[in-house]
Amino acid sequence: MMKWLRNERTIHILIPVISAILGLLAGAIIMVFGGYDAVKGYDSLFNGMLGSPKAIGETIRAMTPLALAGIAVAFAYKTGLFNIGVEGQLLVGWLAAVWVGYAFELPSVIHIPLAILAAGVAGALWAFIPGFLKARFHVHEVIVSIMMNYIALYTTSSIIREFLYAGNEKSYNIHESASLASSFLAEATNNSRLHYGIIVAFLAAFVMWFLLNKTSKGFELRAVGFNQQASKYAGMNVSRNIILSMSVSGAFAGLAGAMEGLGTFQYMNTFTSFTGTGFDGIAVALLGANSAIGILLASFLFGGLQTAAPQMNFMAGVPSELIEIVIALIIFFVASSYLIRWIIGRLSKGGAQ
């Protein structure tokens, strides 16, 4: 077709884009077979995502924790680890941020960074455990981090009930001095819940990119993930780097929790089931090809789909659960990247004839 189709970097960018398009097309086919109006359904969906200042604000608000969860997954993956415990690290980070936000009364310039830092440290400590067990005893991080999710779920709820319970299955509200809420952003987006946490998400994306690509420590972390034996032969401390990688990944996940506790809700619920944000971070990282820019774009798409699903149900009568199917289809097509590569390859060869 064109010479640029044979460029590996171009193909790397095209795969997530084509996957998203194919996922939406497959969703439309499902709507038609289900007896729904696909055009009206998607029109309602995209209006719910971008059709008004409030819709845009809510999309960006939902994007914020998803981006940080995706960054947590991607950072670990880039260093050869699969951190499936992001959900648990998010929960302990959320609790730490809310506790600092409620327990102290400080100037905002100190209180907000302190609460965010507490969330990052809590997430890092929670991820340290599977990292240590992986490095010291070669216990697979997937198994340990899955179990740590359940421990975090029930431990955080128990702590809230014991020490921070305000009734109605939630903790006390944080002080205004610790809040990321913004009256300016709310007014600019017709009273959406958009808050300053989006700045944290962008900074985190930059930190991930800079650390992994522009520092010697980032090179060392990636080298250990690529080949532990070669890295050890080169004099790198493999165990220390595994622990560090999981801890940094957990810190990003803890920040995702802080965005919910300090920004969207101002408190924490006593959850009986997972929020799903940590697991959605896996999908965000996968669609974003584990790159900082890709994750931000993928989280915007997923955030918009999730916030607009109720409007699609209300305006077009399409079940909001269909959005979960669309997201699953997008991930399916990303996972089937070999087929997409083959099609692009055939097109490029056809264009070269």
Side-chain angles (χ1 to χ4, degrees), residues 71-73 75-76 83 86 89 123 127 244-254:
I71 289 167
V73 173
F75 187 92
N83 183 9
V86 170
Q89 294 146 23
L244 177 62
S245 176
M246 282 297 292
S247 298
V248 173
S249 174
F252 285 129

Side-chain angles (χ1 to χ4, degrees), residues 272-314:
T272 56
S273 61
F274 294 121
T275 68
T277 302
F279 298 115
D280 288 341
I282 300 172
V284 167
L286 187 59
L287 181 61
N290 294 305
S291 68
I293 295 296
I295 287 169
L296 291 174
L297 294 174
S299 62
F300 183 82
L301 173 63
F302 282 13
L305 291 175
Q306 290 177 358
T307 57
Q311 180 161 330
M312 184 178 70
N313 176 246
F314 179 74

Side-chain angles (χ1 to χ4, degrees), residues 210-224:
F210 185 83
L211 179 59
L212 289 176
N213 297 286
K214 299 297 180 180
T215 67
S216 58
K217 176 53 71 175
F219 173 81
E220 192 173 320
L221 289 171
R222 287 186 289 114
V224 169

Side-chain angles (χ1 to χ4, degrees), residues 36 42 56 62 65 108 124 146 205 213 262 271 275 289 341 343:
Y36 302 105
Y42 276 143
I56 295 171
S108 293
I146 287 175
N213 297 286
L262 304 178
F271 293 107
T275 68
R341 284 177 178 273
I343 294 172

Side-chain angles (χ1 to χ4, degrees), residues 5 82-83 93 137 172 179 185 189 208 224 252 263 269 271 283 303 328 338 352:
L5 276 178
F82 187 19
N83 183 9
F137 301 106
Y172 293 111
S179 174
L185 293 176
T189 55
M208 185 191 83
V224 169
F252 285 129
N269 296 100
F271 293 107
Y338 174 80

